[in-house]
Amino acid sequence: MAAGLLRTGEGGGAGGTDELSPESRLLVERYLPLCLAGPYVTFAQLGQSLDGFIATRTGDANYVTGEEDRDHLHRLRALADAVVVGAGTAVSDDPQLTVRTCPGTNPVRVVIDPRGRVPLDCRVFTDGSAPTLWVVGPGREDGQTVPGRVGDRVEVLTLPDREAFAPRALVRTLARRGLGRVLVEGGGVTVSRFLHERALHRLYVTVAPVLLGDGVPGIRFDGPDVMRDALRPPVRRSFVGEDTLFELDLTGSVFALDLGVSAPGRPLDGEDRDPRQARGEGEDSVHDRDGQPQ
């Protein structure tokens, strides 16, 4: 897996550090900690504007960050067993969630959809390019029953209640299925929930030198009253084209590294229903007026 990421072109051998091209050496420095993190690691990625938005007020996110950051995202997918998105991202972006710009195996695509609102014609259900796990509650939001079979390479997993959708409970569910390396890709609500519930070991945030002024926010959660209580994890910074990549090491704030020991965290409420948020992801906080998880 790691060796595949080092195939950057001519002169990019992976036989040893002395043989690496400058580009391959950069990849080693950036991704080796994640490669060595072990079989159970949860990490997240967001690309945002300088003022903290992941999309415009209409939901347009193509593209906040540059092409180099999209390559970075595909490398993270290649290092994951599963890539997780919330229902809002699946509906608004219709993503493929596959590895295309670098060598690597496609992760299992996991769609967190308690109300079963993601349309059955989304690409994750129809393109057959990677296995997909559709994680739903007992019934669809339109009152219909979630179908037991959607398409080839798609499995429907029905969870019994809200507690089962809590981030650390979801991580343990995926781990029991052999999906221990989990990338939480979006959107802002889903990543914020995993961060707030201390279910992330690493967080990658790429900041583009662009100002939107308004739009769909990225990280939002109930913060502290005073600055001294703010989360200040160790961080590495690097340039990704014109953008700046921040890698936050959150291992010190994770409740428990043993997935079989820690009790599930309190599930947070879902996304706000503000009609301005076309992607259905990310508001002033991670709470929803209707009290449903995303």
Side-chain angles (χ1 to χ4, degrees):
M1 181 184 298
L5 293 177
L6 299 179
R7 296 182 198 136
T8 58
E10 294 183 6
T17 56
D18 293 338
E19 303 174 15
L20 295 179
S21 68
E23 185 179 0
S24 292
R25 188 183 299 275
L26 176 64
L27 294 182
V28 169
E29 292 174 353
R30 181 171 296 160
Y31 299 107
L32 187 60
L34 184 57
C35 293
L36 299 179
Y40 300 104
V41 58
T42 306
F43 50 106
Q45 185 273 347
L46 278 180
Q48 66 178 41
S49 65
L50 195 61
D51 47 353
F53 298 103
I54 61 176
T56 68
R57 69 180 66 183
T58 65
D60 179 27
N62 296 329
Y63 291 99
V64 178
T65 56
E67 183 177 353
E68 292 87 349
D69 185 51
R70 294 193 289 279
D71 292 340
H72 163 65
L73 173 58
H74 283 248
R75 294 183 187 116
L76 292 182
R77 290 175 184 171
L79 292 172
D81 299 323
V83 55
V84 173
V85 295
T89 294
V91 171
S92 298
D93 293 352
D94 194 15
Q96 293 177 261
L97 304 177
T98 54
V99 179
R100 301 187 299 280
T101 70
C102 70
T105 302
N106 291 329
V108 174
R109 304 177 292 193
V110 180
V111 180
I112 306 301
D113 186 15
R115 297 191 294 274
R117 63 189 178 97
V118 178
L120 298 182
D121 59 356
C122 282
R123 286 191 290 188
V124 291
F125 297 147
T126 61
D127 66 11
S129 59
T132 298
L133 184 64
W134 188 18
V135 185
V136 300
R140 296 175 64 91
E141 67 174 359
D142 57 10
Q144 301 298 312
T145 302
V146 174
R149 180 174 176 80
V150 177
D152 293 339
R153 309 190 77 185
V154 179
E155 179 183 357
V156 179
L157 174 62
T158 302
L159 298 183
D161 50 38
R162 294 180 60 201
E163 285 73 19
F165 283 92
R168 282 176 287 126
L170 286 169
V171 169
R172 283 194 297 274
T173 296
L174 295 178
R176 287 193 292 268
R177 290 171 162 262
L179 305 174
R181 297 177 60 89
V182 178
L183 167 61
V184 184
E185 186 168 321
V189 166
T190 302
V191 173
S192 295
R193 183 177 295 116
F194 272 75
L195 177 62
H196 183 77
E197 287 287 304
R198 303 189 188 183
L200 294 178
H201 297 86
R202 271 182 169 77
L203 172 62
Y204 296 87
V205 179
T206 304
V207 179
V210 61
L211 297 171
L212 294 180
D214 188 13
V216 181
I219 300 295
R220 292 291 187 275
F221 58 87
D222 292 335
D225 293 328
V226 294
M227 285 297 298
R228 65 173 176 270
D229 293 334
L231 181 62
R232 299 180 186 271
V235 62
R236 295 200 303 168
R237 301 172 183 84
S238 59
F239 289 109
V240 182
E242 295 184 350
D243 305 327
T244 303
L245 172 64
F246 295 85
E247 178 188 353
L248 286 71
D249 183 352
L250 301 168
T251 53
S253 66
V254 176
F255 277 137
L257 299 180
D258 185 346
L259 296 176
V261 173
S262 174
R266 175 182 60 83
L268 299 183
D269 294 333
E271 80 282 8
D272 191 284
R273 287 290 192 172
D274 185 344
R276 293 185 311 116
Q277 309 300 345
R279 289 160 59 93
E281 297 266 16
E283 320 300 334
D284 291 339
S285 69
V286 291
H287 295 281
D288 183 3
R289 295 171 189 149
D290 65 9
Q292 293 294 325
Q294 177 170 345

mmCIF file of all heavy atoms in Angstrom, residues 225-256:
data_model
loop_
_atom_site.group_PDB
_atom_site.id
_atom_site.type_symbol
_atom_site.label_atom_id
_atom_site.label_comp_id
_atom_site.label_asym_id
_atom_site.label_seq_id
_atom_site.Cartn_x
_atom_site.Cartn_y
_atom_site.Cartn_z
ATOM 1 N N ASP A 225 -15.601 27.840 26.843
ATOM 2 C CA ASP A 225 -15.895 29.220 27.205
ATOM 3 C C ASP A 225 -14.641 30.088 27.210
ATOM 4 O O ASP A 225 -14.716 31.303 26.990
ATOM 5 C CB ASP A 225 -16.557 29.283 28.590
ATOM 6 C CG ASP A 225 -17.944 28.647 28.596
ATOM 7 O OD1 ASP A 225 -18.628 28.723 27.552
ATOM 8 O OD2 ASP A 225 -18.329 28.079 29.629
ATOM 9 N N VAL A 226 -13.497 29.482 27.468
ATOM 10 C CA VAL A 226 -12.249 30.256 27.554
ATOM 11 C C VAL A 226 -11.199 29.630 26.643
ATOM 12 O O VAL A 226 -11.204 28.421 26.382
ATOM 13 C CB VAL A 226 -11.723 30.316 29.005
ATOM 14 C CG1 VAL A 226 -12.680 31.101 29.889
ATOM 15 C CG2 VAL A 226 -11.525 28.913 29.574
ATOM 16 N N MET A 227 -10.297 30.462 26.153
ATOM 17 C CA MET A 227 -9.300 30.024 25.186
ATOM 18 C C MET A 227 -8.376 28.932 25.733
ATOM 19 O O MET A 227 -7.944 28.051 24.994
ATOM 20 C CB MET A 227 -8.455 31.207 24.727
ATOM 21 C CG MET A 227 -9.157 32.148 23.769
ATOM 22 S SD MET A 227 -9.594 31.345 22.196
ATOM 23 C CE MET A 227 -7.979 30.918 21.574
ATOM 24 N N ARG A 228 -8.094 28.975 27.032
ATOM 25 C CA ARG A 228 -7.144 27.994 27.572
ATOM 26 C C ARG A 228 -7.681 26.570 27.503
ATOM 27 O O ARG A 228 -6.913 25.623 27.631
ATOM 28 C CB ARG A 228 -6.776 28.350 29.018
ATOM 29 C CG ARG A 228 -7.917 28.261 30.017
ATOM 30 C CD ARG A 228 -7.415 28.466 31.447
ATOM 31 N NE ARG A 228 -8.498 28.469 32.414
ATOM 32 C CZ ARG A 228 -9.156 29.546 32.799
ATOM 33 N NH1 ARG A 228 -8.821 30.731 32.301
ATOM 34 N NH2 ARG A 228 -10.135 29.475 33.684
ATOM 35 N N ASP A 229 -9.001 26.427 27.308
ATOM 36 C CA ASP A 229 -9.584 25.089 27.210
ATOM 37 C C ASP A 229 -9.756 24.625 25.760
ATOM 38 O O ASP A 229 -10.311 23.554 25.516
ATOM 39 C CB ASP A 229 -10.955 25.067 27.901
ATOM 40 C CG ASP A 229 -10.852 25.260 29.405
ATOM 41 O OD1 ASP A 229 -9.788 24.921 29.969
ATOM 42 O OD2 ASP A 229 -11.817 25.758 30.009
ATOM 43 N N ALA A 230 -9.281 25.413 24.823
ATOM 44 C CA ALA A 230 -9.409 25.036 23.416
ATOM 45 C C ALA A 230 -8.539 23.826 23.102
ATOM 46 O O ALA A 230 -7.506 23.595 23.742
ATOM 47 C CB ALA A 230 -9.021 26.205 22.522
ATOM 48 N N LEU A 231 -8.967 23.056 22.124
ATOM 49 C CA LEU A 231 -8.206 21.890 21.687
ATOM 50 C C LEU A 231 -6.991 22.361 20.901
ATOM 51 O O LEU A 231 -7.134 23.032 19.869
ATOM 52 C CB LEU A 231 -9.096 20.996 20.816
ATOM 53 C CG LEU A 231 -8.484 19.703 20.273
ATOM 54 C CD1 LEU A 231 -8.081 18.784 21.415
ATOM 55 C CD2 LEU A 231 -9.491 19.000 19.361
ATOM 56 N N ARG A 232 -5.790 22.040 21.372
ATOM 57 C CA ARG A 232 -4.547 22.455 20.726
ATOM 58 C C ARG A 232 -3.656 21.236 20.514
ATOM 59 O O ARG A 232 -2.650 21.053 21.199
ATOM 60 C CB ARG A 232 -3.816 23.503 21.564
ATOM 61 C CG ARG A 232 -4.594 24.791 21.785
ATOM 62 C CD ARG A 232 -3.811 25.781 22.627
ATOM 63 N NE ARG A 232 -4.597 26.966 22.957
ATOM 64 C CZ ARG A 232 -4.659 28.059 22.217
ATOM 65 N NH1 ARG A 232 -3.954 28.106 21.087
ATOM 66 N NH2 ARG A 232 -5.394 29.091 22.580
ATOM 67 N N PRO A 233 -3.994 20.382 19.553
ATOM 68 C CA PRO A 233 -3.217 19.172 19.330
ATOM 69 C C PRO A 233 -1.910 19.471 18.611
ATOM 70 O O PRO A 233 -1.764 20.540 17.987
ATOM 71 C CB PRO A 233 -4.145 18.335 18.443
ATOM 72 C CG PRO A 233 -4.917 19.359 17.673
ATOM 73 C CD PRO A 233 -5.132 20.504 18.623
ATOM 74 N N PRO A 234 -0.956 18.564 18.664
ATOM 75 C CA PRO A 234 0.249 18.710 17.840
ATOM 76 C C PRO A 234 -0.128 18.792 16.368
ATOM 77 O O PRO A 234 -1.076 18.131 15.934
ATOM 78 C CB PRO A 234 1.041 17.431 18.152
ATOM 79 C CG PRO A 234 0.527 16.963 19.473
ATOM 80 C CD PRO A 234 -0.923 17.357 19.508
ATOM 81 N N VAL A 235 0.603 19.605 15.610
ATOM 82 C CA VAL A 235 0.225 19.833 14.221
ATOM 83 C C VAL A 235 1.466 19.868 13.335
ATOM 84 O O VAL A 235 2.528 20.329 13.757
ATOM 85 C CB VAL A 235 -0.581 21.149 14.088
ATOM 86 C CG1 VAL A 235 0.251 22.343 14.524
ATOM 87 C CG2 VAL A 235 -1.110 21.335 12.672
ATOM 88 N N ARG A 236 1.312 19.358 12.123
ATOM 89 C CA ARG A 236 2.334 19.498 11.080
ATOM 90 C C ARG A 236 1.734 20.317 9.946
ATOM 91 O O ARG A 236 0.564 20.140 9.602
ATOM 92 C CB ARG A 236 2.776 18.136 10.539
ATOM 93 C CG ARG A 236 3.480 17.257 11.551
ATOM 94 C CD ARG A 236 4.297 16.165 10.860
ATOM 95 N NE ARG A 236 3.486 15.336 9.968
ATOM 96 C CZ ARG A 236 4.006 14.472 9.084
ATOM 97 N NH1 ARG A 236 5.312 14.353 8.969
ATOM 98 N NH2 ARG A 236 3.208 13.745 8.327
ATOM 99 N N ARG A 237 2.547 21.177 9.354
ATOM 100 C CA ARG A 237 2.086 22.017 8.257
ATOM 101 C C ARG A 237 2.944 21.754 7.024
ATOM 102 O O ARG A 237 4.152 21.565 7.141
ATOM 103 C CB ARG A 237 2.177 23.499 8.628
ATOM 104 C CG ARG A 237 1.368 23.899 9.847
ATOM 105 C CD ARG A 237 1.687 25.330 10.250
ATOM 106 N NE ARG A 237 0.988 25.730 11.465
ATOM 107 C CZ ARG A 237 1.430 25.481 12.694
ATOM 108 N NH1 ARG A 237 2.568 24.820 12.860
ATOM 109 N NH2 ARG A 237 0.741 25.880 13.744
ATOM 110 N N SER A 238 2.303 21.769 5.884
ATOM 111 C CA SER A 238 3.031 21.628 4.627
ATOM 112 C C SER A 238 2.224 22.293 3.520
ATOM 113 O O SER A 238 1.019 22.546 3.674
ATOM 114 C CB SER A 238 3.294 20.154 4.290
ATOM 115 O OG SER A 238 2.073 19.436 4.183
ATOM 116 N N PHE A 239 2.886 22.575 2.416
ATOM 117 C CA PHE A 239 2.211 23.170 1.279
ATOM 118 C C PHE A 239 1.760 22.085 0.311
ATOM 119 O O PHE A 239 2.494 21.138 0.027
ATOM 120 C CB PHE A 239 3.121 24.168 0.564
ATOM 121 C CG PHE A 239 3.371 25.431 1.343
ATOM 122 C CD1 PHE A 239 4.601 25.697 1.908
ATOM 123 C CD2 PHE A 239 2.343 26.355 1.520
ATOM 124 C CE1 PHE A 239 4.823 26.845 2.637
ATOM 125 C CE2 PHE A 239 2.552 27.519 2.245
ATOM 126 C CZ PHE A 239 3.793 27.770 2.803
ATOM 127 N N VAL A 240 0.540 22.227 -0.169
ATOM 128 C CA VAL A 240 -0.017 21.337 -1.184
ATOM 129 C C VAL A 240 -0.429 22.237 -2.342
ATOM 130 O O VAL A 240 -1.538 22.774 -2.361
ATOM 131 C CB VAL A 240 -1.231 20.550 -0.631
ATOM 132 C CG1 VAL A 240 -1.760 19.592 -1.684
ATOM 133 C CG2 VAL A 240 -0.856 19.802 0.636
ATOM 134 N N GLY A 241 0.502 22.431 -3.281
ATOM 135 C CA GLY A 241 0.268 23.421 -4.317
ATOM 136 C C GLY A 241 0.184 24.791 -3.676
ATOM 137 O O GLY A 241 1.055 25.197 -2.894
ATOM 138 N N GLU A 242 -0.884 25.549 -3.976
ATOM 139 C CA GLU A 242 -1.073 26.860 -3.374
ATOM 140 C C GLU A 242 -1.768 26.788 -2.024
ATOM 141 O O GLU A 242 -1.900 27.810 -1.337
ATOM 142 C CB GLU A 242 -1.897 27.745 -4.316
ATOM 143 C CG GLU A 242 -1.207 28.071 -5.631
ATOM 144 C CD GLU A 242 -2.016 29.025 -6.479
ATOM 145 O OE1 GLU A 242 -3.197 29.271 -6.121
ATOM 146 O OE2 GLU A 242 -1.492 29.517 -7.476
ATOM 147 N N ASP A 243 -2.212 25.610 -1.638
ATOM 148 C CA ASP A 243 -2.941 25.431 -0.387
ATOM 149 C C ASP A 243 -1.987 25.050 0.746
ATOM 150 O O ASP A 243 -0.842 24.634 0.513
ATOM 151 C CB ASP A 243 -4.000 24.345 -0.544
ATOM 152 C CG ASP A 243 -4.936 24.621 -1.708
ATOM 153 O OD1 ASP A 243 -5.208 25.802 -1.982
ATOM 154 O OD2 ASP A 243 -5.379 23.638 -2.351
ATOM 155 N N THR A 244 -2.490 25.148 1.971
ATOM 156 C CA THR A 244 -1.727 24.758 3.159
ATOM 157 C C THR A 244 -2.427 23.603 3.843
ATOM 158 O O THR A 244 -3.620 23.687 4.155
ATOM 159 C CB THR A 244 -1.583 25.931 4.143
ATOM 160 O OG1 THR A 244 -0.972 27.040 3.481
ATOM 161 C CG2 THR A 244 -0.726 25.525 5.341
ATOM 162 N N LEU A 245 -1.686 22.529 4.061
ATOM 163 C CA LEU A 245 -2.227 21.334 4.706
ATOM 164 C C LEU A 245 -1.831 21.318 6.174
ATOM 165 O O LEU A 245 -0.646 21.416 6.511
ATOM 166 C CB LEU A 245 -1.704 20.072 4.007
ATOM 167 C CG LEU A 245 -2.031 18.738 4.679
ATOM 168 C CD1 LEU A 245 -3.533 18.494 4.700
ATOM 169 C CD2 LEU A 245 -1.311 17.591 3.951
ATOM 170 N N PHE A 246 -2.831 21.192 7.039
ATOM 171 C CA PHE A 246 -2.612 21.045 8.480
ATOM 172 C C PHE A 246 -2.959 19.605 8.860
ATOM 173 O O PHE A 246 -4.074 19.139 8.588
ATOM 174 C CB PHE A 246 -3.489 22.007 9.272
ATOM 175 C CG PHE A 246 -3.166 23.454 9.043
ATOM 176 C CD1 PHE A 246 -3.709 24.140 7.965
ATOM 177 C CD2 PHE A 246 -2.321 24.137 9.908
ATOM 178 C CE1 PHE A 246 -3.411 25.477 7.749
ATOM 179 C CE2 PHE A 246 -2.021 25.476 9.696
ATOM 180 C CZ PHE A 246 -2.567 26.147 8.608
ATOM 181 N N GLU A 247 -2.010 18.907 9.466
ATOM 182 C CA GLU A 247 -2.253 17.546 9.966
ATOM 183 C C GLU A 247 -2.244 17.600 11.483
ATOM 184 O O GLU A 247 -1.212 17.855 12.104
ATOM 185 C CB GLU A 247 -1.188 16.581 9.466
ATOM 186 C CG GLU A 247 -1.369 15.162 9.993
ATOM 187 C CD GLU A 247 -0.201 14.250 9.657
ATOM 188 O OE1 GLU A 247 0.694 14.674 8.901
ATOM 189 O OE2 GLU A 247 -0.181 13.110 10.178
ATOM 190 N N LEU A 248 -3.396 17.355 12.095
ATOM 191 C CA LEU A 248 -3.543 17.425 13.547
ATOM 192 C C LEU A 248 -3.500 16.021 14.138
ATOM 193 O O LEU A 248 -4.249 15.136 13.708
ATOM 194 C CB LEU A 248 -4.859 18.108 13.934
ATOM 195 C CG LEU A 248 -4.943 19.623 13.754
ATOM 196 C CD1 LEU A 248 -4.994 19.988 12.277
ATOM 197 C CD2 LEU A 248 -6.170 20.190 14.460
ATOM 198 N N ASP A 249 -2.613 15.827 15.096
ATOM 199 C CA ASP A 249 -2.497 14.553 15.793
ATOM 200 C C ASP A 249 -3.418 14.588 17.010
ATOM 201 O O ASP A 249 -3.151 15.281 17.993
ATOM 202 C CB ASP A 249 -1.046 14.329 16.219
ATOM 203 C CG ASP A 249 -0.834 12.983 16.889
ATOM 204 O OD1 ASP A 249 -1.829 12.267 17.162
ATOM 205 O OD2 ASP A 249 0.333 12.634 17.163
ATOM 206 N N LEU A 250 -4.506 13.828 16.937
ATOM 207 C CA LEU A 250 -5.531 13.860 17.981
ATOM 208 C C LEU A 250 -5.482 12.647 18.906
ATOM 209 O O LEU A 250 -6.401 12.443 19.691
ATOM 210 C CB LEU A 250 -6.921 13.934 17.330
ATOM 211 C CG LEU A 250 -7.162 15.142 16.435
ATOM 212 C CD1 LEU A 250 -8.449 14.953 15.631
ATOM 213 C CD2 LEU A 250 -7.225 16.421 17.245
ATOM 214 N N THR A 251 -4.433 11.848 18.791
ATOM 215 C CA THR A 251 -4.398 10.612 19.582
ATOM 216 C C THR A 251 -4.486 10.890 21.075
ATOM 217 O O THR A 251 -5.042 10.090 21.828
ATOM 218 C CB THR A 251 -3.126 9.809 19.281
ATOM 219 O OG1 THR A 251 -1.964 10.649 19.445
ATOM 220 C CG2 THR A 251 -3.149 9.267 17.867
ATOM 221 N N GLY A 252 -3.980 12.025 21.518
ATOM 222 C CA GLY A 252 -4.033 12.336 22.941
ATOM 223 C C GLY A 252 -5.427 12.668 23.433
ATOM 224 O O GLY A 252 -5.676 12.654 24.639
ATOM 225 N N SER A 253 -6.359 12.973 22.507
ATOM 226 C CA SER A 253 -7.718 13.334 22.929
ATOM 227 C C SER A 253 -8.726 12.232 22.663
ATOM 228 O O SER A 253 -9.894 12.375 22.990
ATOM 229 C CB SER A 253 -8.172 14.603 22.190
ATOM 230 O OG SER A 253 -8.297 14.361 20.803
ATOM 231 N N VAL A 254 -8.293 11.112 22.078
ATOM 232 C CA VAL A 254 -9.206 9.999 21.832
ATOM 233 C C VAL A 254 -9.491 9.301 23.155
ATOM 234 O O VAL A 254 -8.587 9.015 23.934
ATOM 235 C CB VAL A 254 -8.606 9.006 20.815
ATOM 236 C CG1 VAL A 254 -9.518 7.799 20.640
ATOM 237 C CG2 VAL A 254 -8.385 9.699 19.471
ATOM 238 N N PHE A 255 -10.768 9.025 23.425
ATOM 239 C CA PHE A 255 -11.163 8.440 24.711
ATOM 240 C C PHE A 255 -10.473 7.107 24.967
ATOM 241 O O PHE A 255 -9.976 6.846 26.035
ATOM 242 C CB PHE A 255 -12.681 8.234 24.755
ATOM 243 C CG PHE A 255 -13.443 9.461 25.131
ATOM 244 C CD1 PHE A 255 -14.601 9.806 24.462
ATOM 245 C CD2 PHE A 255 -13.007 10.277 26.151
ATOM 246 C CE1 PHE A 255 -15.314 10.937 24.809
ATOM 247 C CE2 PHE A 255 -13.701 11.423 26.503
ATOM 248 C CZ PHE A 255 -14.868 11.745 25.819
ATOM 249 N N ALA A 256 -10.449 6.234 23.980
ATOM 250 C CA ALA A 256 -9.873 4.907 24.165
ATOM 251 C C ALA A 256 -9.421 4.377 22.815
ATOM 252 O O ALA A 256 -10.161 4.443 21.841
ATOM 253 C CB ALA A 256 -10.878 3.944 24.795
#
